[in-house]
Amino acid sequence: MDGDVMATVKTMPASGPEAGLGARLQLIELTKVYGDVVAADRVTLDIAPGEFITLLGPSGSGKTTTLMMVAGFVIPTSGQILVNGEDIAFRPPHKRNIGMVFQNYALFPHMTVAENIAFPLKMRKWPRDRIEQAVREALQLVRLPGFEQRYPRQLSGGQQQRVALARALVFRPPVLLMDEPLGALDKKLREEMQLEIKHIQESLNITTIYVTHDQEEALTMSDRIAVMRDGRIEQIGTPRELYEQPASEFVASFIGESNFLMGRLERRDGHAYLVTEDGWRVAIPDAEDLPAGEQVTVALRPERIVLGERRGENHAEATIEEIIYVGEATKFRVRLLGDRLLTVKQPSRLETMRWQRGERVLLSWRAEDAVLLRGRH
Ligand code: ADP
Ligand code: MG
């Protein structure tokens, strides 16, 4: 399939000297205020040509507002949007040369697939024969050749979304924006489309901002993820950086799951410890810049805790309170001394299946499995 996409890309018509090349896209202190709501709060992003960036955050965190300002459908209160260094913040949408896939497909229901895809080209006054060829190639790109004469209502949800993507890409924009494009699809199809969109994006090398509230989708597709909260970017990094080194409780619990431990930093014999209020000492990675005695929080991923074995510097006895079987993994809610609850996640194996509710177990983990949180809480 990859080979087909590449072949198609090479024959697609160029729409300008930079066709096929993603643009550098910079958002600088981009802000939108509605009354007393700051929907986007000094959003700053520097996106490299061809990079795939995802805005990830809960509902109401400012993702759509940010995207709509880049697309030109929302006028910024302040800030700049630079495409290859040129400020486009106050240009109308159709003069921005940006492809957009909306949340709810927004195909024109009374137009055929071909007419839908041709629409942006007609707006740009392309000659008819070039339009026909471009539509055909765009349909090949999204693997719907021969669908020209269908109407949107004759297509499945996944097919409609491919047409929306074809329409966004047909004029070969250097920037592509997508707002929760897969939200209406079922899980299996969504996962297929994630990879397909990613492959098309890579083959065109088109600079992309993708919006989702689904952390798995963000981890699967993105070069970098910007986690948004209350209109602000809380943290930005590669999927791995965000998962392994979350800066705040918000990020550590929005991307994956985490246990949190709070206490004072203590140093002894060259090792660092977190000491809880009730005197529990937990080995943690050291943070040289923090003074001993400082109040700290660490995040500990459930899958980093080992059940029934002693591995690493930290170990404790606990009682299994709940067992949640989720297929490939099993989650255990365990209670430690001092009424502390932790979540432990283990791959489902015969050994893990033997554990029973109410049983006493040993847990352990390494100091370096805990991540010291430094962002706002
Ligand atoms: P998201 O896409 O992350 O769910 P939005 O960008 O849609 O978030 O919304 C961010 C905030 O701005 C929300 O509090 C929302 O209610 C508010 N908001 C968005 N659009 C408008 C608007 N046109 N008028 C007033 N408030 C708005
Ligand atoms: Mg939205």
Side-chain angles (χ1 to χ4, degrees):
M1 188 214 98
D2 274 351
D4 287 345
V5 170
M6 291 305 291
T8 312
V9 171
K10 286 198 193 98
T11 58
M12 276 186 87
S15 63
E18 280 167 355
L21 292 179
R24 178 179 181 189
L25 174 61
Q26 293 160 278
L27 316 188
I28 302 170
E29 304 254 304
L30 202 55
T31 299
K32 181 67 188 181
V33 180
Y34 291 110
D36 51 13
V37 176
V38 186
D41 190 359
R42 289 161 291 162
V43 172
T44 297
L45 275 176
D46 192 346
I47 310 173
E51 194 177 16
F52 191 116
I53 288 255
T54 295
L55 304 181
L56 172 69
S59 177
S61 57
K63 307 180 297 294
T64 295
T65 302
T66 302
L67 209 66
M68 286 302 184
M69 288 194 280
V70 179
F73 299 108
V74 168
I75 307 286
T77 305
S78 59
Q80 288 175 291
I81 304 163
L82 308 184
V83 175
N84 288 334
E86 204 180 331
D87 195 349
I88 59 156
F90 297 99
R91 257 187 229 171
H94 64 281
K95 297 216 165 128
R96 291 189 181 202
N97 207 19
I98 289 178
M100 171 99 196
V101 178
F102 295 91
Q103 200 158 0
N104 43 6
Y105 313 150
L107 294 178
F108 305 115
H110 58 286
M111 288 187 192
T112 62
V113 165
E115 288 164 347
N116 265 284
I117 298 173
F119 186 78
L121 304 181
K122 286 195 174 137
M123 297 264 298
R124 287 167 175 78
K125 306 216 176 343
W126 281 33
R128 206 189 172 135
D129 54 333
R130 258 185 89 198
I131 290 183
E132 262 175 40
Q133 196 190 344
V135 167
R136 212 176 313 122
E137 285 169 356
L139 278 172
Q140 272 175 34
L141 184 67
V142 299
R143 299 200 299 148
L144 283 180
F147 276 63
E148 280 87 346
Q149 297 319 313
R150 299 251 198 134
Y151 284 89
R153 65 172 184 279
Q154 298 172 310
L155 303 175
S156 70
Q159 290 169 336
Q160 288 185 39
Q161 203 47 307
R162 284 165 205 264
V163 174
L165 183 61
R167 188 178 60 181
L169 292 171
V170 72
F171 56 95
R172 300 301 309 280
V175 174
L176 174 66
L177 309 176
M178 286 183 272
D179 192 355
E180 313 225 11
L182 308 180
L185 306 181
D186 60 57
K187 188 171 162 62
K188 191 89 188 154
L189 184 56
R190 207 161 67 218
E191 287 170 359
E192 280 171 33
M193 288 291 291
Q194 286 166 8
L195 290 178
E196 195 166 331
I197 291 174
K198 179 70 187 159
H199 292 153
I200 291 172
Q201 183 272 335
E202 278 174 353
S203 69
L204 296 174
N205 196 40
I206 186 170
T207 308
T208 301
I209 306 184
Y210 190 95
V211 161
T212 184
H213 64 269
D214 180 338
Q215 47 112 3
E216 252 182 67
E217 188 159 297
L219 291 172
T220 303
M221 301 182 78
S222 320
D223 294 320
R224 283 189 298 159
I225 301 170
V227 179
M228 292 197 70
R229 176 192 190 184
D230 301 336
R232 283 201 253 167
I233 294 180
E234 173 110 349
Q235 188 178 0
I236 181 161
T238 63
R240 210 182 166 129
E241 282 164 357
L242 288 187
Y243 192 83
E244 300 294 337
Q245 293 293 323
S248 64
E249 281 193 45
F250 179 77
V251 174
S253 43
F254 198 76
I255 300 185
E257 240 184 293
S258 282
N259 296 292
F260 297 103
L261 302 173
M262 273 153 272
R264 297 202 175 278
L265 180 65
E266 188 188 294
R267 287 198 182 88
R268 233 190 239 193
D269 315 323
H271 293 283
Y273 298 89
L274 176 153
V275 184
T276 63
E277 216 157 64
D278 55 347
W280 189 33
R281 285 169 88 244
V282 180
I284 59 169
D286 203 357
E288 262 113 55
D289 55 317
L290 289 181
E294 190 90 342
Q295 188 73 30
V296 291
T297 303
V298 299
L300 178 61
R301 296 288 187 191
E303 73 272 16
R304 295 291 169 84
I305 303 175
V306 181
L307 267 195
E309 266 181 71
R310 190 159 165 172
R311 251 192 256 165
E313 296 85 343
N314 295 300
H315 47 90
E317 286 248 320
T319 305
I320 299 175
E321 293 230 322
E322 203 175 0
I323 302 176
I324 306 144
Y325 176 73
V326 291
E328 85 283 4
T330 305
K331 285 192 209 174
F332 300 86
R333 295 283 285 159
V334 300
R335 190 177 295 274
L336 281 67
L337 213 65
D339 258 2
R340 194 169 279 109
L341 275 172
L342 289 181
T343 301
V344 181
K345 191 175 176 185
Q346 308 280 275
S348 298
R349 284 188 301 251
L350 289 176
E351 306 90 82
T352 45
M353 314 263 230
R354 280 195 207 108
W355 297 111
Q356 307 262 319
R357 197 182 215 175
E359 215 174 321
R360 296 282 288 167
V361 283
L362 180 72
L363 344 161
S364 63
W365 67 93
R366 295 172 310 174
E368 70 226 60
D369 285 325
V371 178
L372 199 59
L373 302 178
R374 290 158 171 283
R376 70 177 167 141
H377 298 305

